[in-house]
Amino acid sequence: MRIRSTTRICNVSTTCTCRLTWNFWRKGGYESGAEDYRWVEVRKWMPGWQFEVFNPIFICTFQPLLLLALAAPAALATEHPDVPLGPLDFVATVLFAVLLAGETIADIQMFNYQTEKYRRKAAGLPAGPYARGFIETGLWGWSRHPNYFCEVHIWFAFYLFSVAASGLWLNWWGWHRPGA
């Protein structure tokens, strides 16, 4: 049985989706009335009508277009369904796995840090190593946002799958594609 690039893309994107869903659930994102704390902050910056303008422009327009652009490599790979897995698929898979592990580890480290920081605050305990307010250990000792670094670079792994399927390095949205 041959595994195709499209199958690999489906598997890695499903894995990514499961990780994001788990992380959102763990932070209480699916509880009744729950909202990502960042939107509360954004509404403070843009009260009233300003947020109402921001919502259709950024949230309802820009974000879906960005997601469409990020999904374009998967769409291209489906145009080459008979291409078997090759060395570049292996590289993309390993890159994806390393970055997904890094993102997951960084999110766990941050969750544990924030949980302990707020537990100490609620219990009236000294802040100790949490006094600065932000994490400086683990992956966070190397980068200010290792979770975002890994998330952004996961999309490069997705792009490599499209290169492996099409054989073209410049293939974004039909560039240099035969018949485009």
Side-chain angles (χ1 to χ4, degrees):
M1 180 178 99
R2 288 189 333 190
I3 299 175
R4 298 182 183 114
S5 290
T6 52
T7 303
R8 185 70 55 96
I9 288 175
C10 181
N11 290 340
V12 297
S13 62
T14 300
T15 303
C16 226
T17 300
C18 289
R19 192 210 73 79
L20 288 170
T21 301
W22 168 76
N23 195 50
F24 191 65
W25 167 82
R26 185 175 60 140
K27 295 193 281 186
Y30 294 110
E31 293 174 7
S32 180
E35 180 179 38
D36 188 322
Y37 74 93
R38 293 172 289 192
W39 290 119
V40 174
E41 293 301 315
V42 168
R43 276 197 288 285
K44 287 179 188 175
W45 301 337
M46 292 180 271
W49 70 270
Q50 293 171 342
F51 185 79
E52 296 306 319
V53 170
F54 174 76
N55 184 33
I57 292 172
F58 180 75
I59 300 169
C60 299
T61 304
F62 177 73
Q63 285 185 329
L65 289 174
L66 178 62
L67 291 174
L68 179 63
L70 293 173
L76 176 61
T78 64
E79 294 179 14
H80 304 277
D82 295 325
V83 176
L85 291 178
L88 192 54
D89 289 295
F90 176 76
V91 169
T93 302
V94 170
L95 179 63
F96 171 82
V98 168
L99 292 166
L100 184 70
E103 184 179 19
T104 303
I105 290 166
D107 282 342
I108 290 169
Q109 290 173 345
M110 178 58 79
F111 181 82
N112 293 341
Y113 176 87
Q114 293 295 339
T115 300
E116 179 60 17
K117 179 176 84 173
Y118 285 106
R119 185 196 70 79
R120 286 176 180 235
K121 187 182 273 189
L125 297 171
Y130 304 90
R132 287 197 65 191
F134 54 89
I135 188 170
E136 298 175 299
T137 59
L139 294 177
W140 299 86
W142 295 2
S143 171
R144 188 70 201 112
H145 292 288
N147 53 344
Y148 297 146
F149 174 86
C150 291
E151 173 69 24
V152 167
H153 288 86
I154 279 174
W155 294 106
F156 288 107
F158 272 76
Y159 182 72
L160 290 177
F161 284 116
S162 73
V163 172
S166 69
L168 301 168
W169 283 96
L170 295 176
N171 62 37
W172 209 261
W173 291 45
W175 296 343
H176 303 285
R177 250 181 37 215

